[in-house]
Each structure stands twice: as C-alpha cells, then as structure tokens.
Amino acid sequence: MDFAWACALAPLAGLAANILIQIGFFRLSRGKSLLRSVFAGFFCGQAATLAWDVWLLQGAFAPAPAWPDWPVLLLANQCIAAALGYCYFHFVNLSETARRIRILRELCASPRGLTREELLAGYNARDMVEKRFDRLLRNGQIALVDGKYVVRPGMIAAITKIMHLLKLAVMGRGASPGR
C-alpha cells in the first residue's frame, strides 16, 4: 500500500476507534452516560487519527511527504475525522431521541400493538421540554440565572457557534442560529 492510501485510511481508523471507545465506555457505565461516552469516543478517535498520521510520517510507508506538507496533512485528516465523528454523534443521537425511532421501539416491544391513545399517552410536549431543560442543566450546558436560562461557556456552546458559522458558509447570510 502506498503512502497516499495509508494516509486516506487515517480518518477511518479514527472513526473506528471513536465507535469502539464510545460503545465500550457506554457499556462500562451501564448505560448511564451516553453523552460522556460520545465525547470520549470522539476525542479518542481524534487521537487515533493523529497517532496513525504520526506513524505514517515516521516512515511507515515510503515516501513520506516533506516537512512543510505535514501540518496540512495532519490538519486535513483531523478535520475529516472530526466530520466523521460529528456524523456518528448524530447517528447515536437520532437512535436515542428521535420520536419515530421511539415509537417504533414501543411498537416492537408490544407484540399485540398499541392504540393511538396509548402511544400518545407517552408524548407530553411540556414533559419533553422539561426533561430537555433538566438534561441541559445537569450537563452544565445552560444555567438558570435570575429566573432566566442562559448558555454556559463550554464545548457545546463552542460547537454550536462553529456549526452556525459552517451553516452560514454553506447556506449564506439568511441562516439563523436556531434553524
């Protein structure tokens, strides 16, 4: 295998590490810490991508690029691995929170089926929003200050800003932060 192909595999190796670490961390926590397991997997995936790249640049495959090309290679692979990790995060998130998935799981768990009223009994909009607020507060992503909710600085706030900037870059000036 030549250097270019081995280099292209670095983000995929990072994604594989991301998935394996996330699943392992989640199972070791006995299902109590999905968000932490996703973050742990993401950062381990980034580290695995970097380790793969460093291994390649140490001469695992010849010819390795000249020194001035290394930073670009490392940055490109880190960005690709981050994008793959972001996609994986949303795959996990959708499987856990999407109402459609939840409804299908409830129906699968009820071999005799459920009536519309039985299904709707578990979907109270106010209750769902309260649970989301509780989770955001518990995870330190928002805070209640003087009776008002505010975003706390941190990783999620930074990711939100980055995603908004990317959305602006792709969609133009009309993109709003909340849509």
Side-chain angles (χ1 to χ4, degrees):
M1 176 183 325
D2 72 350
F3 181 84
W5 280 106
C7 184
L9 292 176
L12 295 176
L15 177 62
N18 180 344
I19 293 168
L20 293 173
I21 296 296
Q22 186 273 319
I23 291 170
F25 190 102
F26 185 67
R27 288 190 179 167
L28 288 174
S29 73
R30 293 188 172 93
K32 294 179 185 173
S33 186
L34 180 62
L35 185 61
R36 285 192 182 119
S37 73
V38 169
F39 281 137
F42 179 83
F43 289 115
C44 288
Q46 292 299 111
T49 301
L50 182 61
W52 183 290
D53 283 337
V54 168
W55 175 68
L56 288 176
L57 295 172
Q58 295 293 323
F61 292 94
W67 162 246
D69 296 334
W70 287 22
V72 174
L73 173 80
L74 295 174
L75 179 63
N77 275 350
Q78 286 299 300
C79 288
I80 294 166
L84 290 171
Y86 182 74
C87 292
Y88 178 68
F89 163 76
H90 282 290
F91 173 77
V92 171
N93 189 40
L94 283 174
S95 69
E96 283 300 310
T97 61
R99 284 177 203 84
R100 176 179 42 196
I101 301 298
R102 183 174 163 196
I103 290 169
L104 290 172
R105 276 199 224 150
E106 289 177 22
L107 290 172
C108 286
S110 302
R112 294 184 181 151
L114 296 169
T115 66
R116 184 178 183 94
E117 289 73 28
E118 289 171 327
L119 280 169
L120 291 175
Y123 294 89
N124 176 332
R126 182 175 185 85
D127 184 49
M128 288 180 185
V129 171
E130 285 179 9
K131 286 180 182 177
R132 177 64 58 159
F133 275 121
D134 290 344
R135 191 176 313 128
L136 290 167
L137 285 165
R138 189 175 56 250
N139 291 336
Q141 296 166 351
I142 64 171
L144 186 60
V145 178
D146 297 327
K148 296 181 180 180
Y149 291 101
V150 296
V151 176
R152 291 188 59 201
M155 174 122 9
I156 296 299
I159 290 171
T160 301
K161 288 177 185 177
I162 290 168
M163 292 311 301
H164 175 64
L165 290 173
L166 290 173
K167 194 173 187 179
L168 279 172
V170 172
M171 298 177 64
R173 293 177 9 164
S176 67
R179 294 179 198 194

